[in-house]
Amino acid sequence: MDATGNDLHHGGNLAAAEERFGRPRQGWLDLSTGINPAAYPLPALPPEAWARLPDGAQIAALLAAAQDHYGVPDRGCIVAAPGSQALIQWLPRLMHSPATDTTVAVLTPTYGEHARSWAGAGFAVDPVADFSAVTDRHTIVVLANPNNPDGRQIAPDRLLALAGRLAARGGLLVVDEAFADLTPRLSLASAAGRPGLVILRSFGKFFGLGGLRLGFALGPAALIDRLADALGPWPVSGPATRIGAAALTDSAWIAMTRQALANATQRLDALLTGAGLSLVGGTDLFRLVEHPAAPTLFERLGRAGILVRDFPERPRWLRFGIPTESGFDRLSESLNGWTSHKDRNASDVRA
Amino acid sequence: MDATGNDLHHGGNLAAAEERFGRPRQGWLDLSTGINPAAYPLPALPPEAWARLPDGAQIAALLAAAQDHYGVPDRGCIVAAPGSQALIQWLPRLMHSPATDTTVAVLTPTYGEHARSWAGAGFAVDPVADFSAVTDRHTIVVLANPNNPDGRQIAPDRLLALAGRLAARGGLLVVDEAFADLTPRLSLASAAGRPGLVILRSFGKFFGLGGLRLGFALGPAALIDRLADALGPWPVSGPATRIGAAALTDSAWIAMTRQALANATQRLDALLTGAGLSLVGGTDLFRLVEHPAAPTLFERLGRAGILVRDFPERPRWLRFGIPTESGFDRLSESLNGWTSHKDRNASDVRA
């Protein structure tokens, strides 16, 4: 990560995509992120949302809305941040105890910033491919549920049992629930406050407002207080405070959106498998597929102005975000072209 | 600081003011902050500013605008953050070296979050009342120039000399230039990159957009890289990225606003001194006055719905932000009432 944010290891970087593919005539169809393309409709913002620092009453309204939406038992167990990324940055720094030799298990593959942030704070990071490979050697365990990019799900009772074991030896389970709005039954939010468990929630993905920068940590009050203290006063913008409070209490929009994303996911799956791609997994905000010729398809889509997420370390994988209506048409056209091209040029396919 | 941001030790907290004074019929006239009441006019924001994570090209445009406005010699010497407060939070954590016994001099009185943040990261903080009291004992020196709340100014050459001495022994001078937009000749931005010097800039105060959360650190590339790494990807919102880039390049608005704030300050000074208050100092975004009956005036103004900043540790001081046109009328009326009341009740005045 350089100071300009200009790297290719995250989705959504159209500047980097243009360096590689040029600027597409029709504009980009960006399917490289897991952000809902049908954003929450912005409420009117009063001038003071921009001008003034959000005050205690506005932050309290935001936290109450989040507490209710996520189902957190206690108000002292939730804190807001400018994106869940800000919490990923701070958490390892607050846990750092140079006296102990702490090994952090990160259930991989997953969102790369977790391992990066713990390693950056001086922890030994142990990438673990399977939940059952977590051992007593691991004092801190980090995983995403459901996972990005493969959608892997771990049952809440297994996670709560692990959090209990970790708490008993002064450890911590970090569960990144960035995509759990789509599967609320998976969320551990109702257990927030138990020792040894911290949950990260992202606002921007489900609500389609990634640029707003809003996320939450749920956990034991003492740890939440330390995070709040580290973030300092006014970590969240006035617009994020107000839009977040409105969106998180809009249960009609939330229910409608869950259904719409489930429908769009079914449609995307049909399109992708129809093109000969194998579905590995996903959530209702992204789908992970596998194909021996994935690098060729990535290039072909990129040249057609469709950016998807590739994985240099897993060259057979591609991740597709959910298209808009017009995006479905463009993607369908490109995939049809690829299928016929592929049939004509079987040599493109390398195992 | 609790998780709701609800404390009285900062300006601008109307929720706390309402607990104390009740909600004023005419609404609050908030003069408790140093935020320009005539905000930069918001440009139209495209939907993607909200929906998408700001990409490398947008961040680069923001940093170029800031580099030019502040006069930073090198692009590698500037990083953006969600408010300069976020930088105040991170800086001590990055400088922390438990092996050395580092004493941090904070030139006081000043913005309270500096001492709080360095102490919170485990440093010994030594409040120093005068610049000449900084000694070789101090490895890190923190000050604001011009200072808040008293407007104290220190000549750039004295600061550069100190930064040089500190750098020679591995130390650091932190200069908070939150209010330096009004006095660009005081800024050390053109020296950003020199070892031992880091400068913090606030966007929201001069541009009247405190709710946007945008600030910058200027300094040696290695330290700026570490700050960027600590902040992580996408620390700044899409709206802040675009509004910041527009405002920081709007030289006509900037020149007009400097003049308007200078005029308003003259008018405010006449009003305050006309009411018998002694001017201690300030910048063109706030004025600090002194009076033996300051606590009585604070209460009187509060009950009239005018919130100013008091200083529990300096009970004779009050800080006034710059009013809008209608705010001037309201303040004038209240101060006139106070003056006649005070003349009638000389016993209110305690030395």
Side-chain angles (χ1 to χ4, degrees), chain B residues 215-244:
Chain B
F216 300 90
L218 325 177
L223 178 58
I224 294 302
D225 283 350
R226 290 178 66 204
L227 277 168
D229 206 55
L231 290 163
W234 320 294
V236 173
S237 72
T241 305
R242 290 169 189 256
I243 294 168

PDB file of all heavy atoms in Angstrom, chain B residues 215-244:
ATOM      1  N   GLY B 215      -7.896  15.559   6.987  1.00  0.00           N
ATOM      2  CA  GLY B 215      -6.694  16.218   7.456  1.00  0.00           C
ATOM      3  C   GLY B 215      -5.479  15.605   6.781  1.00  0.00           C
ATOM      4  O   GLY B 215      -5.599  14.603   6.063  1.00  0.00           O
ATOM      5  N   PHE B 216      -4.334  16.224   6.995  1.00  0.00           N
ATOM      6  CA  PHE B 216      -3.115  15.779   6.319  1.00  0.00           C
ATOM      7  C   PHE B 216      -1.940  15.803   7.285  1.00  0.00           C
ATOM      8  O   PHE B 216      -1.883  16.649   8.182  1.00  0.00           O
ATOM      9  CB  PHE B 216      -2.794  16.707   5.137  1.00  0.00           C
ATOM     10  CG  PHE B 216      -3.881  16.761   4.099  1.00  0.00           C
ATOM     11  CD1 PHE B 216      -4.905  17.702   4.191  1.00  0.00           C
ATOM     12  CD2 PHE B 216      -3.906  15.850   3.043  1.00  0.00           C
ATOM     13  CE1 PHE B 216      -5.926  17.744   3.246  1.00  0.00           C
ATOM     14  CE2 PHE B 216      -4.923  15.889   2.095  1.00  0.00           C
ATOM     15  CZ  PHE B 216      -5.930  16.837   2.195  1.00  0.00           C
ATOM     16  N   ALA B 217      -1.006  14.901   7.069  1.00  0.00           N
ATOM     17  CA  ALA B 217       0.300  14.996   7.722  1.00  0.00           C
ATOM     18  C   ALA B 217       1.333  15.258   6.641  1.00  0.00           C
ATOM     19  O   ALA B 217       1.283  14.672   5.550  1.00  0.00           O
ATOM     20  CB  ALA B 217       0.631  13.708   8.467  1.00  0.00           C
ATOM     21  N   LEU B 218       2.265  16.156   6.953  1.00  0.00           N
ATOM     22  CA  LEU B 218       3.378  16.475   6.058  1.00  0.00           C
ATOM     23  C   LEU B 218       4.659  16.150   6.819  1.00  0.00           C
ATOM     24  O   LEU B 218       4.810  16.550   7.984  1.00  0.00           O
ATOM     25  CB  LEU B 218       3.378  17.967   5.704  1.00  0.00           C
ATOM     26  CG  LEU B 218       2.027  18.688   5.546  1.00  0.00           C
ATOM     27  CD1 LEU B 218       2.258  20.177   5.265  1.00  0.00           C
ATOM     28  CD2 LEU B 218       1.214  18.066   4.435  1.00  0.00           C
ATOM     29  N   GLY B 219       5.574  15.447   6.172  1.00  0.00           N
ATOM     30  CA  GLY B 219       6.806  15.104   6.878  1.00  0.00           C
ATOM     31  C   GLY B 219       7.745  14.282   6.033  1.00  0.00           C
ATOM     32  O   GLY B 219       7.524  14.121   4.818  1.00  0.00           O
ATOM     33  N   PRO B 220       8.797  13.748   6.657  1.00  0.00           N
ATOM     34  CA  PRO B 220       9.764  12.931   5.921  1.00  0.00           C
ATOM     35  C   PRO B 220       9.066  11.708   5.308  1.00  0.00           C
ATOM     36  O   PRO B 220       8.170  11.123   5.931  1.00  0.00           O
ATOM     37  CB  PRO B 220      10.755  12.487   7.007  1.00  0.00           C
ATOM     38  CG  PRO B 220      10.541  13.424   8.158  1.00  0.00           C
ATOM     39  CD  PRO B 220       9.125  13.863   8.087  1.00  0.00           C
ATOM     40  N   ALA B 221       9.458  11.332   4.104  1.00  0.00           N
ATOM     41  CA  ALA B 221       8.770  10.269   3.369  1.00  0.00           C
ATOM     42  C   ALA B 221       8.665   8.980   4.171  1.00  0.00           C
ATOM     43  O   ALA B 221       7.630   8.300   4.131  1.00  0.00           O
ATOM     44  CB  ALA B 221       9.472  10.033   2.031  1.00  0.00           C
ATOM     45  N   ALA B 222       9.709   8.647   4.933  1.00  0.00           N
ATOM     46  CA  ALA B 222       9.671   7.377   5.668  1.00  0.00           C
ATOM     47  C   ALA B 222       8.575   7.408   6.738  1.00  0.00           C
ATOM     48  O   ALA B 222       7.842   6.424   6.924  1.00  0.00           O
ATOM     49  CB  ALA B 222      11.032   7.093   6.306  1.00  0.00           C
ATOM     50  N   LEU B 223       8.453   8.535   7.429  1.00  0.00           N
ATOM     51  CA  LEU B 223       7.414   8.648   8.456  1.00  0.00           C
ATOM     52  C   LEU B 223       6.027   8.714   7.818  1.00  0.00           C
ATOM     53  O   LEU B 223       5.058   8.118   8.322  1.00  0.00           O
ATOM     54  CB  LEU B 223       7.677   9.885   9.328  1.00  0.00           C
ATOM     55  CG  LEU B 223       6.644  10.177  10.425  1.00  0.00           C
ATOM     56  CD1 LEU B 223       6.488   9.000  11.383  1.00  0.00           C
ATOM     57  CD2 LEU B 223       7.021  11.438  11.199  1.00  0.00           C
ATOM     58  N   ILE B 224       5.912   9.426   6.710  1.00  0.00           N
ATOM     59  CA  ILE B 224       4.629   9.515   5.995  1.00  0.00           C
ATOM     60  C   ILE B 224       4.196   8.127   5.518  1.00  0.00           C
ATOM     61  O   ILE B 224       3.019   7.759   5.611  1.00  0.00           O
ATOM     62  CB  ILE B 224       4.750  10.515   4.821  1.00  0.00           C
ATOM     63  CG1 ILE B 224       4.969  11.945   5.365  1.00  0.00           C
ATOM     64  CG2 ILE B 224       3.539  10.451   3.907  1.00  0.00           C
ATOM     65  CD1 ILE B 224       3.879  12.455   6.286  1.00  0.00           C
ATOM     66  N   ASP B 225       5.148   7.338   5.034  1.00  0.00           N
ATOM     67  CA  ASP B 225       4.837   5.963   4.622  1.00  0.00           C
ATOM     68  C   ASP B 225       4.315   5.145   5.797  1.00  0.00           C
ATOM     69  O   ASP B 225       3.377   4.352   5.650  1.00  0.00           O
ATOM     70  CB  ASP B 225       6.090   5.277   4.066  1.00  0.00           C
ATOM     71  CG  ASP B 225       6.407   5.728   2.647  1.00  0.00           C
ATOM     72  OD1 ASP B 225       5.569   6.420   2.033  1.00  0.00           O
ATOM     73  OD2 ASP B 225       7.493   5.365   2.148  1.00  0.00           O
ATOM     74  N   ARG B 226       4.935   5.337   6.968  1.00  0.00           N
ATOM     75  CA  ARG B 226       4.478   4.575   8.136  1.00  0.00           C
ATOM     76  C   ARG B 226       3.079   5.009   8.557  1.00  0.00           C
ATOM     77  O   ARG B 226       2.250   4.183   8.953  1.00  0.00           O
ATOM     78  CB  ARG B 226       5.461   4.737   9.300  1.00  0.00           C
ATOM     79  CG  ARG B 226       6.791   4.029   9.036  1.00  0.00           C
ATOM     80  CD  ARG B 226       7.769   4.239  10.177  1.00  0.00           C
ATOM     81  NE  ARG B 226       7.317   3.601  11.400  1.00  0.00           N
ATOM     82  CZ  ARG B 226       7.692   3.971  12.623  1.00  0.00           C
ATOM     83  NH1 ARG B 226       8.515   4.995  12.783  1.00  0.00           N
ATOM     84  NH2 ARG B 226       7.243   3.328  13.677  1.00  0.00           N
ATOM     85  N   LEU B 227       2.810   6.298   8.475  1.00  0.00           N
ATOM     86  CA  LEU B 227       1.456   6.782   8.783  1.00  0.00           C
ATOM     87  C   LEU B 227       0.442   6.217   7.779  1.00  0.00           C
ATOM     88  O   LEU B 227      -0.642   5.773   8.165  1.00  0.00           O
ATOM     89  CB  LEU B 227       1.417   8.314   8.775  1.00  0.00           C
ATOM     90  CG  LEU B 227       1.877   9.009  10.055  1.00  0.00           C
ATOM     91  CD1 LEU B 227       2.077  10.502   9.822  1.00  0.00           C
ATOM     92  CD2 LEU B 227       0.869   8.790  11.200  1.00  0.00           C
ATOM     93  N   ALA B 228       0.809   6.232   6.496  1.00  0.00           N
ATOM     94  CA  ALA B 228      -0.088   5.696   5.465  1.00  0.00           C
ATOM     95  C   ALA B 228      -0.357   4.219   5.711  1.00  0.00           C
ATOM     96  O   ALA B 228      -1.489   3.740   5.583  1.00  0.00           O
ATOM     97  CB  ALA B 228       0.516   5.900   4.078  1.00  0.00           C
ATOM     98  N   ASP B 229       0.677   3.504   6.110  1.00  0.00           N
ATOM     99  CA  ASP B 229       0.534   2.084   6.382  1.00  0.00           C
ATOM    100  C   ASP B 229      -0.359   1.855   7.605  1.00  0.00           C
ATOM    101  O   ASP B 229      -1.171   0.931   7.630  1.00  0.00           O
ATOM    102  CB  ASP B 229       1.931   1.510   6.625  1.00  0.00           C
ATOM    103  CG  ASP B 229       1.989   0.042   6.293  1.00  0.00           C
ATOM    104  OD1 ASP B 229       1.622  -0.309   5.151  1.00  0.00           O
ATOM    105  OD2 ASP B 229       2.380  -0.739   7.185  1.00  0.00           O
ATOM    106  N   ALA B 230      -0.214   2.707   8.614  1.00  0.00           N
ATOM    107  CA  ALA B 230      -1.036   2.576   9.821  1.00  0.00           C
ATOM    108  C   ALA B 230      -2.494   2.905   9.525  1.00  0.00           C
ATOM    109  O   ALA B 230      -3.410   2.243  10.015  1.00  0.00           O
ATOM    110  CB  ALA B 230      -0.506   3.492  10.917  1.00  0.00           C
ATOM    111  N   LEU B 231      -2.729   3.931   8.715  1.00  0.00           N
ATOM    112  CA  LEU B 231      -4.098   4.320   8.376  1.00  0.00           C
ATOM    113  C   LEU B 231      -4.765   3.266   7.507  1.00  0.00           C
ATOM    114  O   LEU B 231      -5.978   3.096   7.550  1.00  0.00           O
ATOM    115  CB  LEU B 231      -4.098   5.669   7.654  1.00  0.00           C
ATOM    116  CG  LEU B 231      -3.735   6.875   8.514  1.00  0.00           C
ATOM    117  CD1 LEU B 231      -3.362   8.065   7.650  1.00  0.00           C
ATOM    118  CD2 LEU B 231      -4.904   7.232   9.451  1.00  0.00           C
ATOM    119  N   GLY B 232      -3.968   2.550   6.715  1.00  0.00           N
ATOM    120  CA  GLY B 232      -4.507   1.494   5.871  1.00  0.00           C
ATOM    121  C   GLY B 232      -5.149   2.036   4.610  1.00  0.00           C
ATOM    122  O   GLY B 232      -5.186   3.247   4.376  1.00  0.00           O
ATOM    123  N   PRO B 233      -5.668   1.121   3.783  1.00  0.00           N
ATOM    124  CA  PRO B 233      -6.316   1.564   2.541  1.00  0.00           C
ATOM    125  C   PRO B 233      -7.628   2.303   2.825  1.00  0.00           C
ATOM    126  O   PRO B 233      -8.315   1.988   3.785  1.00  0.00           O
ATOM    127  CB  PRO B 233      -6.579   0.252   1.800  1.00  0.00           C
ATOM    128  CG  PRO B 233      -6.512  -0.826   2.833  1.00  0.00           C
ATOM    129  CD  PRO B 233      -5.626  -0.336   3.944  1.00  0.00           C
ATOM    130  N   TRP B 234      -7.952   3.275   2.008  1.00  0.00           N
ATOM    131  CA  TRP B 234      -9.219   4.025   2.042  1.00  0.00           C
ATOM    132  C   TRP B 234      -9.519   4.691   3.379  1.00  0.00           C
ATOM    133  O   TRP B 234     -10.645   4.613   3.880  1.00  0.00           O
ATOM    134  CB  TRP B 234     -10.402   3.105   1.672  1.00  0.00           C
ATOM    135  CG  TRP B 234     -10.108   2.170   0.577  1.00  0.00           C
ATOM    136  CD1 TRP B 234      -9.857   2.477  -0.724  1.00  0.00           C
ATOM    137  CD2 TRP B 234     -10.001   0.734   0.676  1.00  0.00           C
ATOM    138  NE1 TRP B 234      -9.608   1.327  -1.446  1.00  0.00           N
ATOM    139  CE2 TRP B 234      -9.687   0.244  -0.609  1.00  0.00           C
ATOM    140  CE3 TRP B 234     -10.150  -0.178   1.730  1.00  0.00           C
ATOM    141  CZ2 TRP B 234      -9.512  -1.114  -0.873  1.00  0.00           C
ATOM    142  CZ3 TRP B 234      -9.978  -1.523   1.472  1.00  0.00           C
ATOM    143  CH2 TRP B 234      -9.661  -1.975   0.187  1.00  0.00           C
ATOM    144  N   PRO B 235      -8.581   5.414   3.971  1.00  0.00           N
ATOM    145  CA  PRO B 235      -8.919   6.098   5.221  1.00  0.00           C
ATOM    146  C   PRO B 235      -9.885   7.264   5.009  1.00  0.00           C
ATOM    147  O   PRO B 235     -10.612   7.626   5.926  1.00  0.00           O
ATOM    148  CB  PRO B 235      -7.564   6.598   5.733  1.00  0.00           C
ATOM    149  CG  PRO B 235      -6.699   6.689   4.528  1.00  0.00           C
ATOM    150  CD  PRO B 235      -7.165   5.609   3.599  1.00  0.00           C
ATOM    151  N   VAL B 236      -9.888   7.850   3.800  1.00  0.00           N
ATOM    152  CA  VAL B 236     -10.659   9.069   3.547  1.00  0.00           C
ATOM    153  C   VAL B 236     -11.872   8.720   2.685  1.00  0.00           C
ATOM    154  O   VAL B 236     -11.769   7.943   1.736  1.00  0.00           O
ATOM    155  CB  VAL B 236      -9.762  10.123   2.852  1.00  0.00           C
ATOM    156  CG1 VAL B 236     -10.567  11.326   2.422  1.00  0.00           C
ATOM    157  CG2 VAL B 236      -8.633  10.541   3.791  1.00  0.00           C
ATOM    158  N   SER B 237     -13.026   9.311   3.016  1.00  0.00           N
ATOM    159  CA  SER B 237     -14.259   8.991   2.303  1.00  0.00           C
ATOM    160  C   SER B 237     -14.244   9.523   0.874  1.00  0.00           C
ATOM    161  O   SER B 237     -13.487  10.445   0.541  1.00  0.00           O
ATOM    162  CB  SER B 237     -15.462   9.573   3.049  1.00  0.00           C
ATOM    163  OG  SER B 237     -15.486  10.979   2.911  1.00  0.00           O
ATOM    164  N   GLY B 238     -15.121   8.984   0.041  1.00  0.00           N
ATOM    165  CA  GLY B 238     -15.276   9.470  -1.329  1.00  0.00           C
ATOM    166  C   GLY B 238     -15.671  10.945  -1.371  1.00  0.00           C
ATOM    167  O   GLY B 238     -15.057  11.738  -2.107  1.00  0.00           O
ATOM    168  N   PRO B 239     -16.698  11.366  -0.589  1.00  0.00           N
ATOM    169  CA  PRO B 239     -17.028  12.793  -0.569  1.00  0.00           C
ATOM    170  C   PRO B 239     -15.848  13.660  -0.132  1.00  0.00           C
ATOM    171  O   PRO B 239     -15.580  14.699  -0.746  1.00  0.00           O
ATOM    172  CB  PRO B 239     -18.199  12.852   0.428  1.00  0.00           C
ATOM    173  CG  PRO B 239     -18.860  11.519   0.289  1.00  0.00           C
ATOM    174  CD  PRO B 239     -17.721  10.545   0.075  1.00  0.00           C
ATOM    175  N   ALA B 240     -15.116  13.253   0.910  1.00  0.00           N
ATOM    176  CA  ALA B 240     -13.981  14.066   1.373  1.00  0.00           C
ATOM    177  C   ALA B 240     -12.902  14.147   0.299  1.00  0.00           C
ATOM    178  O   ALA B 240     -12.284  15.200   0.105  1.00  0.00           O
ATOM    179  CB  ALA B 240     -13.399  13.483   2.664  1.00  0.00           C
ATOM    180  N   THR B 241     -12.663  13.053  -0.401  1.00  0.00           N
ATOM    181  CA  THR B 241     -11.646  13.033  -1.446  1.00  0.00           C
ATOM    182  C   THR B 241     -11.981  14.053  -2.527  1.00  0.00           C
ATOM    183  O   THR B 241     -11.126  14.844  -2.959  1.00  0.00           O
ATOM    184  CB  THR B 241     -11.558  11.618  -2.067  1.00  0.00           C
ATOM    185  OG1 THR B 241     -11.321  10.683  -1.019  1.00  0.00           O
ATOM    186  CG2 THR B 241     -10.445  11.536  -3.085  1.00  0.00           C
ATOM    187  N   ARG B 242     -13.244  14.077  -2.961  1.00  0.00           N
ATOM    188  CA  ARG B 242     -13.630  14.954  -4.071  1.00  0.00           C
ATOM    189  C   ARG B 242     -13.828  16.401  -3.633  1.00  0.00           C
ATOM    190  O   ARG B 242     -13.415  17.334  -4.330  1.00  0.00           O
ATOM    191  CB  ARG B 242     -14.907  14.414  -4.730  1.00  0.00           C
ATOM    192  CG  ARG B 242     -14.629  13.118  -5.480  1.00  0.00           C
ATOM    193  CD  ARG B 242     -15.909  12.450  -5.910  1.00  0.00           C
ATOM    194  NE  ARG B 242     -15.658  11.116  -6.426  1.00  0.00           N
ATOM    195  CZ  ARG B 242     -15.661  10.789  -7.715  1.00  0.00           C
ATOM    196  NH1 ARG B 242     -15.888  11.708  -8.621  1.00  0.00           N
ATOM    197  NH2 ARG B 242     -15.441   9.540  -8.092  1.00  0.00           N
ATOM    198  N   ILE B 243     -14.472  16.595  -2.481  1.00  0.00           N
ATOM    199  CA  ILE B 243     -14.687  17.965  -2.007  1.00  0.00           C
ATOM    200  C   ILE B 243     -13.339  18.599  -1.651  1.00  0.00           C
ATOM    201  O   ILE B 243     -13.074  19.764  -1.964  1.00  0.00           O
ATOM    202  CB  ILE B 243     -15.659  17.971  -0.807  1.00  0.00           C
ATOM    203  CG1 ILE B 243     -17.052  17.520  -1.274  1.00  0.00           C
ATOM    204  CG2 ILE B 243     -15.724  19.358  -0.164  1.00  0.00           C
ATOM    205  CD1 ILE B 243     -18.026  17.207  -0.146  1.00  0.00           C
ATOM    206  N   GLY B 244     -12.468  17.811  -1.012  1.00  0.00           N
ATOM    207  CA  GLY B 244     -11.141  18.321  -0.663  1.00  0.00           C
ATOM    208  C   GLY B 244     -10.366  18.748  -1.898  1.00  0.00           C
ATOM    209  O   GLY B 244      -9.771  19.830  -1.929  1.00  0.00           O
TER     210      GLY B 244
END
